[in-house]
Amino acid sequence: MKKSARILLGAALALSLTLVGCGKSEGDQGTGQQAGQAGQAAEAVKVDIGMLKLTSSAPLFIGIEKGFFKEENIDAQAKWFEAAQPIAVATAAGSVDVGATGITASLYNMVAGGQKLLIVADKGREQKGYSSSALLFPSDSPLKSIEELKGKKIGITQTGSTYHYMAGRLLENHGLTLNDVQLVPLNSIKGLMEALKSKQVDAILLNEPNISTVVEEGYGKVIAQVGDEMDYQTSGIFFSPKLAENKDAAERFLKAYAKATRYYYDAVLTQKDGKIVPGANYDEVVSIIAKYTDQEPDMIKKGLPYIDRDGKLLESDIKTQVDWYAKEKLIDKAIDTTEIVNTQLLEEAVQKLGK
């Protein structure tokens, strides 16, 4: 009996060890599979970016040039456009995956008409302490303030443009309205500069580096920096519906974009004692911008627009803009801005990027 009991006990122990071994093997195999899955490279995604050859597209240029998009397995391809509105149209239609351009009444009218796109990140804004856009008078103008513009002519690019918006908001800040002045659409930056020089208008809105050019050439003077008057989200990064639905690819794109905005900010926007000082990669960033915009480095240095370090959108200003355009009857109907703004994708991307 004792012998039989020992045999049975030994068999039971052997079976127990075998089962434990099998369990451990299956567990190890499962862990290995999970680790393999976790270690798999993210799906390669081709992303077409509709953009203009503007300095405010700098983070996109940096992301492509420095390989930040490639690091996220995003094949970022620049698709060049000649004007802002076609970029928004192409993004909504899915002809490009990402649009990078100004936020205008035309864009809001597209959305009001049923077109779908999402504004997800900053691509340039007016910010106190940074020169981006300004109101200029002829250098020998007897006018000295915005309040004196009543009954005068102000040159803008187009009706419903960012220049139209800035003119209206600046006037309101100083007790006037658009009804108190005559807006003169001049269709181009060059047209604005020529009209100021020939004194066809009493004032214009203009951006950098053109502001610096006008002042240096002596025919214009800055009356107000827009960023000192108001915070204003002038342009943004838009996603097509298809890209927005691919959350993984969308977040990876924005992770690379945020890395690029940090690189840009640290190189050209850091301040010391209230003044901008060149960062460690200043010359490199200027060189990258020059390559993609076909501008001379010295010209680029005159106008490097403010972009949030993490690429965060000034979300509250989008509603401010919509309300203003609706008040001025420049958009056809009210828009629920929560349907066209998505800041969560960038927030999650920045969290994954870390500090």
Side-chain angles (χ1 to χ4, degrees):
M1 289 293 292
K2 289 181 180 179
K3 183 176 180 181
S4 297
R6 285 197 300 271
I7 292 172
L8 288 170
L9 181 61
L13 181 61
L15 179 60
S16 175
L17 290 171
T18 300
L19 289 172
V20 169
C22 289
K24 183 178 180 181
S25 176
E26 290 172 1
D28 288 347
Q29 184 178 5
T31 302
Q33 287 175 342
Q34 290 171 3
Q37 290 171 353
Q40 287 177 356
E43 177 189 5
V45 177
K46 182 173 178 286
V47 174
D48 289 334
I49 309 170
M51 61 176 118
L52 303 169
K53 292 188 175 185
L54 298 176
T55 305
S56 60
S57 297
L60 295 168
F61 307 152
I62 292 167
I64 294 170
E65 194 72 10
K66 299 291 293 182
F68 296 157
F69 290 114
K70 283 185 179 179
E71 289 172 6
E72 297 298 327
N73 223 0
I74 298 290
D75 179 16
Q77 296 290 327
K79 301 296 179 183
W80 302 110
F81 285 72
E82 296 298 324
Q85 181 60 11
I87 295 177
V89 172
T91 307
S95 301
V96 296
D97 305 292
V98 174
T101 190
I103 302 173
T104 65
S106 296
L107 183 141
Y108 294 130
N109 273 319
M110 277 178 48
V111 174
Q115 301 272 17
K116 301 291 184 183
L117 52 73
L118 284 175
I119 309 173
V120 297
D122 180 18
K123 185 194 163 284
R125 71 170 73 159
E126 299 295 337
Q127 184 82 9
K128 188 176 180 63
Y130 293 88
S131 177
S132 181
S133 300
L135 182 75
L136 290 88
F137 291 177
S139 56
D140 59 355
S141 171
L143 305 179
K144 296 185 179 354
S145 68
I146 295 174
E147 288 85 352
E148 295 177 83
L149 283 173
K150 188 169 183 177
K152 304 300 183 181
K153 294 180 180 179
I154 302 177
I156 61 171
T157 48
Q158 295 176 324
T159 300
S161 66
T162 56
Y163 290 85
H164 191 158
Y165 179 81
M166 288 187 284
R169 290 288 309 280
L170 286 176
L171 289 168
E172 290 171 359
N173 282 0
H174 293 265
L176 301 176
T177 72
L178 289 173
N179 293 327
D180 293 317
V181 302
Q182 180 184 347
L183 292 185
V184 182
L186 294 163
N187 299 317
S188 69
I189 298 297
K190 184 178 179 181
L192 288 172
M193 296 168 74
E194 289 176 349
L196 186 74
K197 192 171 188 177
S198 60
K199 302 177 187 176
Q200 297 174 46
V201 293
D202 300 288
I204 62 168
L205 269 301
L206 201 61
N207 64 345
E208 288 285 17
N210 303 298
I211 297 167
S212 296
T213 298
V214 167
V215 172
E216 287 172 8
E217 292 185 6
Y219 63 88
K221 59 184 178 183
V222 173
I223 297 302
Q225 290 284 349
V226 175
D228 292 341
E229 294 274 336
M230 63 183 186
D231 292 334
Y232 170 35
Q233 187 70 60
T234 55
S235 57
I237 299 295
F238 314 137
F239 277 1
S240 69
K242 182 179 178 181
L243 179 59
E245 287 169 7
N246 187 344
K247 186 178 178 183
D248 174 64
E251 284 188 3
R252 283 190 280 130
F253 179 92
L254 287 172
K255 185 179 175 185
Y257 183 73
K259 189 172 183 179
T261 56
R262 290 179 179 183
Y263 201 89
Y264 171 81
Y265 186 101
D266 292 345
V268 304
L269 294 179
T270 53
Q271 290 189 343
K272 184 177 180 181
D273 299 327
K275 293 184 178 180
I276 298 173
V277 293
N281 301 305
Y282 181 86
D283 288 333
E284 180 195 17
V285 166
V286 169
S287 177
I288 290 172
I289 296 170
K291 174 182 175 180
Y292 282 82
T293 61
D294 303 323
Q295 294 184 52
E296 292 297 322
D298 287 345
M299 183 66 72
I300 290 164
K301 291 175 183 179
K302 292 178 181 179
L304 291 157
Y306 182 88
I307 299 173
D308 181 79
R309 189 174 183 272
D310 285 333
K312 291 182 179 179
L313 191 74
L314 191 60
E315 184 179 3
S316 61
D317 187 56
I318 302 301
K319 186 175 187 313
T320 300
Q321 291 180 39
V322 167
D323 290 344
W324 188 87
Y325 281 124
K327 172 176 71 74
E328 296 295 326
K329 296 182 170 49
L330 290 166
I331 56 177
D332 299 330
K333 64 180 181 180
I335 301 167
D336 181 358
T337 55
T338 61
E339 294 181 4
I340 61 170
V341 174
N342 183 323
T343 57
Q344 185 177 355
L345 287 169
L346 179 64
E347 288 170 5
E348 293 179 7
V350 169
Q351 187 175 9
K352 290 177 181 177
L353 181 61
K355 294 182 179 181

